[in-house]
Amino acid sequence: MITISDVKKIYQSKAGPISAVDGVNLSVKEGEIFGVIGYSGAGKSTLIRMLNGLEVPTEGTINVGGQAVSTIKGKKLREARQSIGMIFQHFNLLWSRTVIDNIQFPLEIAGVPKKERVNRANELLTLVGLEGRGDAYPAQLSGGQKQRVGIARALANNPRVLLCDEATSALDPQTTDSILDLLVDINKRLGLTIVLITHEMHVIKKICHRVAVMENGKVAELGDVLEVFRNPQQQVTKRFVKEVSQDQDSDEVIEQLIKEYPTGKVLKFTFVGDSTGQPLITSLIRKFDLEVNILQGQISQTQKGAYGTLFVHLDGEESQLKEALTFAESQLVKVEVMAG
């Protein structure tokens, strides 16, 4: 569906050339929700803008749905963009037009007859959960409702690809989740390929199938979301994963747990997929002569299964502790010794 090959984007400045994207190679499958995450300046915004021709690569090629958007121009590029919808962080709505007129706008530009435009806009109002708000103006809507209008407008031309440029960054957490749920629903109903960029790992965790982690214009890490959570390789990825999987176990909390349990071992168990449903603690208690204390933990859901962390304290004979660790690892649980 989308192929990015050896893409570079270099901007010229008074201080010299600035490399925003540096040799990126990516592919996105049809019907996939693909996330690109990175901190400010990582190059993710430049990358997504090149997917619909708003920016042209300095080197390399970009193919979206069979169209070489990195090289085509004029009428061919405009036609290609009709199959690529885009939603933005700050909505980019026309404030002087009603909701239904905003949704119709791409169809108006494309020369679609008015009756057909109105019918399509009403269908989309229902799809995004805004029935009855067609005559409202953007200023009368909440942030989440504005973004729903932006999504409906992006879908007006029946695109094959939907690009999301920090689409939830201006929203509160509850509204963010409702918009993400809507994107998942659209992906499933329409088979739409979605590419989103974000600096929030919660967004990746909640809806993406695969993720590319960008740093300094390069792809630092790439893989299935569950695998990236289970075994992050790069330091930047570990920082992102920690934001959502270890929000309860900051360094201070871990240090306090270690102080409270000076003997035995403080362990961190990481569960992925089917392993989250295993009765590991019950098995440890039954199989080994150990004291087992659950300290804290949490389980999160991703599009490809559950991901969880659990901190426990085990105390007992050293031989029993070693056997218990070996047993835990045999249950496809990642084990980290935090102390002891």
Side-chain angles (χ1 to χ4, degrees):
M1 165 54 74
I2 299 174
T3 305
I4 301 169
S5 304
D6 300 319
V7 165
K8 294 184 179 182
K9 180 62 180 180
I10 299 172
Y11 294 101
Q12 299 298 327
S13 70
K14 292 181 179 179
I18 299 172
S19 181
V21 175
D22 187 7
V24 168
N25 291 278
L26 287 174
S27 62
V28 180
K29 303 169 188 174
E30 188 166 3
E32 181 175 37
I33 304 179
F34 188 93
V36 180
I37 191 169
Y39 293 108
S40 296
K44 58 189 187 298
S45 292
T46 302
L47 183 65
I48 201 170
R49 287 171 62 84
M50 287 192 286
L51 292 181
N52 65 357
L54 291 174
E55 297 279 359
V56 178
T58 306
E59 295 181 21
T61 59
I62 296 177
N63 190 293
V64 180
Q67 294 279 352
V69 296
S70 54
T71 57
I72 58 176
K73 297 179 181 179
K75 182 180 179 181
K76 286 187 176 181
L77 178 58
R78 290 193 295 273
E79 290 174 350
R81 281 177 175 160
Q82 290 185 4
S83 66
I84 306 171
M86 190 163 185
I87 56 176
F88 304 88
Q89 178 180 0
H90 297 296
F91 321 125
N92 288 10
L93 301 180
L94 300 170
W95 300 97
S96 62
R97 290 194 173 209
T98 62
V99 165
I100 200 163
D101 286 340
N102 266 279
I103 297 171
Q104 290 183 68
F105 188 60
L107 299 173
E108 184 179 328
I109 293 174
V112 176
K114 184 174 182 179
K115 184 177 180 180
E116 191 176 333
R117 294 200 311 259
V118 172
N119 289 339
R120 176 62 176 158
N122 281 316
E123 288 175 7
L124 291 168
L125 278 173
T126 300
L127 178 66
V128 301
L130 288 178
E131 303 98 322
R133 300 309 307 271
D135 293 332
Y137 286 88
Q140 298 171 302
L141 304 178
S142 67
Q145 289 172 328
K146 290 171 187 172
Q147 194 56 286
R148 287 173 184 268
V149 176
I151 293 170
R153 180 185 59 188
L155 297 176
N157 279 314
N158 289 301
R160 298 177 62 192
V161 176
L162 180 63
L163 307 179
C164 306
D165 185 1
E166 298 276 11
T168 59
S169 295
L171 306 176
D172 62 76
Q174 184 175 352
T175 305
T176 290
D177 281 348
S178 71
I179 294 298
L180 295 178
D181 288 340
L182 175 60
L183 290 175
V184 171
D185 182 56
I186 289 169
N187 168 257
K188 290 178 178 177
R189 284 198 201 188
L190 307 180
L192 197 65
T193 303
I194 299 177
V195 179
L196 61 86
I197 66 166
T198 182
H199 62 273
E200 300 172 292
M201 199 61 176
H202 169 74
V203 173
I204 300 296
K205 178 197 73 174
K206 187 173 177 65
I207 73 168
C208 292
H209 302 117
R210 289 194 301 143
V211 60
V213 183
M214 289 194 70
E215 186 176 33
N216 298 324
K218 299 177 180 290
V219 175
E221 195 157 345
L222 171 68
D224 288 345
V225 170
L226 257 184
E227 178 58 26
V228 168
F229 268 79
R230 186 186 72 83
N231 192 27
Q233 298 296 307
Q234 303 301 319
Q235 196 59 41
V236 63
T237 312
K238 292 176 181 178
R239 287 171 61 192
F240 277 122
V241 170
K242 187 174 181 180
E243 289 177 7
V244 290
S245 66
Q246 300 181 30
D247 54 0
Q248 299 179 28
D249 46 270
S250 64
D251 294 339
E252 293 82 2
V253 173
I254 293 171
E255 288 176 8
Q256 185 60 38
L257 290 174
I258 292 171
K259 289 177 182 178
E260 290 179 13
Y261 298 93
T263 62
K265 294 184 183 295
V266 175
L267 305 174
K268 177 186 173 185
F269 293 146
T270 301
F271 305 83
V272 176
D274 293 340
S275 67
T276 56
Q278 296 181 19
L280 178 62
I281 300 303
T282 301
S283 297
L284 289 174
I285 293 171
R286 288 177 176 174
K287 291 178 177 292
F288 305 98
D289 185 18
L290 295 171
E291 290 184 8
V292 182
N293 297 308
I294 297 175
L295 306 180
Q296 64 180 31
Q298 62 179 6
I299 293 178
S300 301
Q301 293 294 326
T302 75
Q303 282 294 297
K304 290 195 173 181
Y307 171 89
T309 57
L310 181 67
F311 279 76
V312 299
H313 171 250
L314 302 184
D315 204 357
E317 295 291 333
E318 185 66 25
S319 61
Q320 289 286 290
L321 288 170
K322 287 182 178 179
E323 289 182 19
L325 265 61
T326 300
F327 172 78
E329 290 172 340
S330 74
Q331 304 301 299
L332 302 180
V333 174
K334 182 180 178 182
V335 181
E336 297 177 63
V337 179
M338 311 305 294

